[in-house]
Short mmCIF file of all heavy atoms in Angstrom, two decimals:
data_model
loop_
_atom_site.label_atom_id
_atom_site.label_comp_id
_atom_site.label_asym_id
_atom_site.label_seq_id
_atom_site.Cartn_x
_atom_site.Cartn_y
_atom_site.Cartn_z
N LEU A 10 2.12 19.07 2.02
CA LEU A 10 2.74 17.76 2.05
C LEU A 10 2.89 17.16 0.66
O LEU A 10 3.25 16.00 0.52
CB LEU A 10 1.90 16.81 2.91
CG LEU A 10 1.72 17.23 4.36
CD1 LEU A 10 0.74 16.29 5.06
CD2 LEU A 10 3.04 17.25 5.10
N ALA A 11 2.63 17.95 -0.38
CA ALA A 11 2.69 17.44 -1.75
C ALA A 11 4.05 16.86 -2.04
O ALA A 11 5.09 17.40 -1.67
CB ALA A 11 2.38 18.56 -2.74
N GLY A 12 4.05 15.74 -2.71
CA GLY A 12 5.29 15.09 -3.09
C GLY A 12 5.79 14.09 -2.08
O GLY A 12 6.65 13.28 -2.38
N ALA A 13 5.30 14.12 -0.87
CA ALA A 13 5.74 13.17 0.15
C ALA A 13 5.03 11.85 -0.06
O ALA A 13 3.83 11.80 -0.24
CB ALA A 13 5.44 13.70 1.55
N VAL A 14 5.77 10.77 -0.07
CA VAL A 14 5.17 9.45 -0.26
C VAL A 14 5.77 8.50 0.76
O VAL A 14 6.97 8.47 0.96
CB VAL A 14 5.44 8.91 -1.68
CG1 VAL A 14 4.91 7.50 -1.83
CG2 VAL A 14 4.84 9.82 -2.72
N ALA A 15 4.91 7.72 1.40
CA ALA A 15 5.37 6.70 2.35
C ALA A 15 4.89 5.35 1.85
O ALA A 15 3.75 5.21 1.43
CB ALA A 15 4.79 6.98 3.74
N THR A 16 5.75 4.37 1.89
CA THR A 16 5.38 3.04 1.43
C THR A 16 5.33 2.11 2.63
O THR A 16 6.26 2.06 3.43
CB THR A 16 6.40 2.51 0.41
OG1 THR A 16 6.48 3.44 -0.65
CG2 THR A 16 5.99 1.16 -0.13
N ALA A 17 4.25 1.35 2.74
CA ALA A 17 4.08 0.40 3.85
C ALA A 17 4.99 -0.79 3.65
O ALA A 17 5.32 -1.17 2.53
CB ALA A 17 2.63 -0.05 3.92
N GLY A 18 5.39 -1.41 4.75
CA GLY A 18 6.24 -2.60 4.70
C GLY A 18 5.48 -3.80 4.17
O GLY A 18 4.26 -3.78 4.05
N THR A 19 6.19 -4.86 3.85
CA THR A 19 5.60 -6.06 3.28
C THR A 19 4.50 -6.64 4.16
O THR A 19 3.45 -7.03 3.66
CB THR A 19 6.68 -7.14 3.05
OG1 THR A 19 7.73 -6.55 2.28
CG2 THR A 19 6.12 -8.33 2.33
N ALA A 20 4.71 -6.67 5.46
CA ALA A 20 3.71 -7.24 6.37
C ALA A 20 2.42 -6.44 6.34
O ALA A 20 1.35 -6.98 6.55
CB ALA A 20 4.25 -7.30 7.79
N GLN A 21 2.51 -5.14 6.04
CA GLN A 21 1.32 -4.30 6.02
C GLN A 21 0.72 -4.19 4.63
O GLN A 21 -0.32 -3.60 4.46
CB GLN A 21 1.67 -2.91 6.53
CG GLN A 21 2.09 -2.89 7.98
CD GLN A 21 2.55 -1.50 8.41
OE1 GLN A 21 2.84 -0.66 7.58
NE2 GLN A 21 2.62 -1.28 9.69
N ALA A 22 1.37 -4.73 3.63
CA ALA A 22 0.92 -4.57 2.26
C ALA A 22 -0.38 -5.32 1.97
O ALA A 22 -1.07 -5.00 1.03
CB ALA A 22 2.01 -5.03 1.29
N ALA A 23 -0.70 -6.33 2.75
CA ALA A 23 -1.94 -7.07 2.55
C ALA A 23 -3.13 -6.15 2.76
O ALA A 23 -3.10 -5.25 3.58
CB ALA A 23 -2.01 -8.25 3.51
N ALA A 24 -4.19 -6.37 2.00
CA ALA A 24 -5.39 -5.55 2.11
C ALA A 24 -5.96 -5.64 3.51
O ALA A 24 -6.00 -6.70 4.12
CB ALA A 24 -6.42 -6.00 1.09
N LYS A 25 -6.41 -4.50 4.02
CA LYS A 25 -7.00 -4.44 5.36
C LYS A 25 -8.49 -4.21 5.23
O LYS A 25 -8.95 -3.57 4.29
CB LYS A 25 -6.34 -3.32 6.16
CG LYS A 25 -4.86 -3.57 6.36
CD LYS A 25 -4.23 -2.46 7.14
CE LYS A 25 -2.74 -2.72 7.31
NZ LYS A 25 -2.08 -1.66 8.04
N GLY A 26 -9.23 -4.71 6.20
CA GLY A 26 -10.68 -4.61 6.14
C GLY A 26 -11.21 -3.25 6.54
O GLY A 26 -10.60 -2.52 7.30
N CYS A 27 -12.37 -2.92 5.99
CA CYS A 27 -13.06 -1.68 6.32
C CYS A 27 -14.56 -1.90 6.12
O CYS A 27 -14.96 -2.93 5.58
CB CYS A 27 -12.57 -0.52 5.46
SG CYS A 27 -12.65 -0.77 3.67
N TYR A 28 -15.36 -0.95 6.60
CA TYR A 28 -16.79 -1.01 6.37
C TYR A 28 -17.39 0.39 6.37
O TYR A 28 -16.82 1.32 6.95
CB TYR A 28 -17.52 -1.92 7.37
CG TYR A 28 -17.36 -1.54 8.82
CD1 TYR A 28 -18.25 -0.67 9.43
CD2 TYR A 28 -16.34 -2.09 9.59
CE1 TYR A 28 -18.12 -0.32 10.77
CE2 TYR A 28 -16.20 -1.76 10.93
CZ TYR A 28 -17.09 -0.88 11.51
OH TYR A 28 -16.96 -0.54 12.83
N VAL A 29 -18.51 0.54 5.70
CA VAL A 29 -19.18 1.83 5.56
C VAL A 29 -19.93 2.14 6.84
O VAL A 29 -20.68 1.31 7.36
CB VAL A 29 -20.15 1.80 4.35
CG1 VAL A 29 -20.94 3.11 4.24
CG2 VAL A 29 -19.39 1.51 3.06
N THR A 30 -19.73 3.36 7.37
CA THR A 30 -20.42 3.79 8.59
C THR A 30 -21.55 4.78 8.30
O THR A 30 -22.44 4.95 9.11
CB THR A 30 -19.43 4.44 9.58
OG1 THR A 30 -18.78 5.53 8.93
CG2 THR A 30 -18.41 3.43 10.07
N ALA A 31 -21.51 5.42 7.15
CA ALA A 31 -22.58 6.36 6.76
C ALA A 31 -23.79 5.57 6.26
O ALA A 31 -23.67 4.39 5.91
CB ALA A 31 -22.07 7.28 5.66
N SER A 32 -24.94 6.21 6.20
CA SER A 32 -26.11 5.52 5.68
C SER A 32 -25.89 5.09 4.23
O SER A 32 -26.36 4.04 3.81
CB SER A 32 -27.37 6.38 5.81
OG SER A 32 -27.20 7.61 5.14
N SER A 33 -25.15 5.89 3.47
CA SER A 33 -24.72 5.51 2.13
C SER A 33 -23.46 6.29 1.78
O SER A 33 -23.20 7.36 2.33
CB SER A 33 -25.81 5.79 1.09
OG SER A 33 -26.05 7.18 0.97
N ALA A 34 -22.68 5.72 0.88
CA ALA A 34 -21.44 6.37 0.44
C ALA A 34 -21.23 6.07 -1.03
O ALA A 34 -21.33 4.92 -1.45
CB ALA A 34 -20.26 5.84 1.26
N LYS A 35 -20.97 7.11 -1.81
CA LYS A 35 -20.68 6.92 -3.22
C LYS A 35 -19.23 6.48 -3.39
O LYS A 35 -18.33 7.07 -2.79
CB LYS A 35 -20.93 8.21 -4.00
CG LYS A 35 -22.38 8.59 -4.06
CD LYS A 35 -22.58 9.86 -4.85
CE LYS A 35 -24.07 10.22 -4.87
NZ LYS A 35 -24.29 11.50 -5.56
N LEU A 36 -19.02 5.46 -4.19
CA LEU A 36 -17.67 5.07 -4.60
C LEU A 36 -17.32 5.98 -5.77
O LEU A 36 -18.07 6.03 -6.75
CB LEU A 36 -17.62 3.62 -5.06
CG LEU A 36 -17.49 2.57 -3.96
CD1 LEU A 36 -18.81 2.30 -3.32
CD2 LEU A 36 -16.90 1.32 -4.55
N ARG A 37 -16.23 6.70 -5.66
CA ARG A 37 -15.86 7.68 -6.68
C ARG A 37 -14.73 7.14 -7.56
O ARG A 37 -13.89 6.36 -7.10
CB ARG A 37 -15.40 8.97 -6.02
CG ARG A 37 -16.42 9.62 -5.12
CD ARG A 37 -17.45 10.33 -5.91
NE ARG A 37 -18.39 11.06 -5.05
CZ ARG A 37 -19.28 11.89 -5.52
NH1 ARG A 37 -19.36 12.11 -6.82
NH2 ARG A 37 -20.11 12.49 -4.72
#
Side-chain angles (χ1 to χ4, degrees):
L10 300 173
V14 176
T16 303
T19 306
Q21 295 175 343
K25 297 179 181 179
C27 55
Y28 59 89
V29 176
T30 56
S32 58
S33 65
K35 292 181 181 177
L36 277 80
R37 302 282 185 172

